Amino acid sequence: MPIDTIFRNTQCDWVDVEAPTAEDLKFLHERYEINNLLLEDTLDPNHLPKYEEDGNVKFFLLRESTELERKNLNTISDISTKIGIFLIDKTIITIHRMKTKSIYETKKQISALQEETTPETIALRIALLVMKSFDDESVSLLETMDNIENEIFLKNTNHANQIKRLYKLKRKSGLNSRVLTISTDAVDKFKLLGLQDSEVVDLKDKHKDVVADFDHLNLQITNLISMFLALSDQKANQVMKVLAIYSVYFLPITFIAGVYGMNFDNMPELHHKYGYFFTLGLMALVVICTFIYARRKQW
């Protein structure tokens, strides 16, 4: 997508670049005298959030939570996309590699405003919407966790895919927490933009709220995984208990059957008229005695 001026008034020019090419970055470097190293940071898909200053250029690199579902959850780019924000006098330049809700929604908001808008205000609105994207993600993950919890405890399911879903949930939550934690410094630097204190405090509060939500979510997911594994162990123990009970009952009578199956000629019971019925009675007596003993011990 070419470099596009998506908003302009007497106080502000907003230039947006989606999926920038090397030529786009070269143009921005020559036109606005932006350090090439800062521009290169916007190309790295896994770059962490940060804030830098270079002369009159203020640079924020934020990450927005995305709805794109990926099979592998190994890096922060699997759950978020970066947004580079350059503030140069009355110009704000945003660079991102894919369509983002924060850019689209901010454009709608400022287009509906009657008052003049500054680059700093646009940057703040983008940051607030970035925090909202993580807030929405935390709500979505919490709903997913509640559904899995209901399946485990209410529907009494214990399928192998449950633990896979919980692991995936834990990975997503952990990566989001990492992004938010690293974003703390960049959020704090908004106080350097000359905004009203209440606006900056509002952004910090939203950031803290989302961080707390994901901390709570991480703890809940960890506890749910532990309970799921405990339930799996309990069910396995129940199966082993049943098998052990059968073994207790059948081991003595199997021993008796083995002894009388040796067919030695000098075994007196072998040729006894009622030897067969005597042996069956002995087996039944052993089973009854074992049953009574097990009930008294409350096994």
Side-chain angles (χ1 to χ4, degrees):
M1 182 176 179
I3 299 175
D4 184 26
T5 301
I6 61 177
F7 178 80
R8 175 176 291 169
N9 62 19
T10 57
Q11 298 293 325
C12 172
D13 282 341
W14 182 2
V15 179
D16 184 64
V17 186
E18 182 180 325
T21 62
E23 289 75 15
D24 293 333
L25 298 185
K26 181 179 180 182
F27 172 80
L28 293 174
H29 168 68
E30 295 174 351
R31 172 67 177 80
Y32 298 100
E33 297 182 352
I34 302 175
N35 193 310
N36 279 322
L37 294 177
L38 298 182
L39 292 170
E40 289 174 1
D41 288 342
T42 64
L43 295 178
D44 184 2
N46 292 313
H47 205 294
L48 300 175
K50 69 172 184 176
Y51 169 81
E52 282 191 40
E53 284 190 27
D54 182 51
N56 66 332
V57 177
K58 296 181 176 66
F59 174 53
F60 290 90
L61 186 62
L62 306 177
R63 297 200 70 93
E64 177 180 339
S65 180
T66 62
E67 297 177 352
L68 184 61
E69 190 73 21
R70 288 186 170 91
K71 293 182 179 179
N72 298 321
L73 297 170
N74 298 320
T75 63
I76 59 175
S77 63
D78 293 328
I79 53 93
S80 64
T81 184
K82 65 184 183 308
I83 301 175
I85 303 174
F86 293 92
L87 298 173
I88 311 167
D89 297 328
K90 294 184 178 181
T91 302
I92 177 172
I93 303 171
T94 53
I95 303 177
H96 46 101
R97 61 187 178 91
M98 58 187 294
K99 292 184 181 298
T100 59
K101 284 187 176 181
S102 59
I103 299 295
Y104 176 75
E105 293 294 332
T106 301
K107 181 182 176 181
K108 286 178 57 179
Q109 290 177 5
I110 64 173
S111 297
L113 293 176
Q114 301 297 327
E115 57 189 33
E116 292 291 326
T117 302
T118 64
E120 291 77 12
T121 302
I122 294 176
L124 178 65
R125 289 180 178 272
I126 293 174
L128 288 170
L129 289 170
V130 165
M131 291 301 109
K132 184 179 182 301
S133 71
F134 285 100
D135 186 38
D136 294 340
E137 178 68 6
S138 70
V139 172
S140 175
L141 293 181
L142 186 59
E143 290 178 354
T144 303
M145 189 195 70
D146 288 339
N147 292 335
I148 297 176
E149 190 173 18
N150 290 335
E151 291 176 9
I152 294 173
F153 293 102
L154 298 182
K155 298 181 181 179
N156 199 27
T157 58
N158 191 18
H159 303 301
N161 66 331
Q162 297 286 22
I163 193 66
K164 293 181 181 179
R165 292 171 64 191
L166 285 171
Y167 173 74
K168 184 176 181 181
L169 200 64
K170 187 175 186 299
R171 291 287 296 175
K172 290 182 71 174
S173 180
L175 288 172
N176 278 283
S177 292
R178 182 187 176 198
V179 172
L180 289 167
T181 300
I182 300 173
S183 299
T184 302
D185 182 64
V187 170
D188 288 340
K189 295 301 182 181
F190 272 84
K191 64 186 179 182
L192 303 177
L193 300 185
L195 297 164
Q196 295 182 10
D197 291 341
S198 59
E199 294 176 323
V200 178
V201 170
D202 184 42
L203 175 61
K204 290 183 178 181
D205 288 343
K206 289 185 181 299
H207 175 261
K208 291 178 181 178
D209 288 342
V210 179
V211 170
D213 288 341
F214 273 101
D215 287 342
H216 172 72
L217 184 61
N218 285 328
L219 181 60
Q220 292 293 94
I221 294 173
T222 301
N223 291 338
L224 184 56
I225 290 176
S226 299
M227 286 188 289
F228 177 82
L229 294 176
L231 284 176
S232 299
D233 292 339
Q234 183 183 19
K235 291 184 178 181
N237 290 337
Q238 290 293 337
V239 173
M240 293 301 297
K241 181 179 179 180
V242 172
L243 294 176
I245 290 173
Y246 278 106
S247 298
V248 168
Y249 287 133
F250 282 98
L251 182 60
I253 61 179
T254 302
F255 173 75
I256 295 173
V259 170
Y260 283 95
M262 291 187 291
N263 295 324
F264 288 116
D265 289 336
N266 61 348
M267 293 179 67
E269 296 85 355
L270 190 61
H271 301 287
H272 196 280
K273 181 179 180 179
Y274 300 105
Y276 173 70
F277 300 102
F278 171 77
T279 304
L280 290 180
L282 179 61
M283 290 181 178
L285 179 63
V286 170
V287 170
I288 293 172
C289 291
T290 303
F291 175 76
I292 295 174
Y293 180 80
R295 288 297 297 269
R296 288 183 176 179
K297 291 293 185 179
Q298 297 182 350
W299 288 352

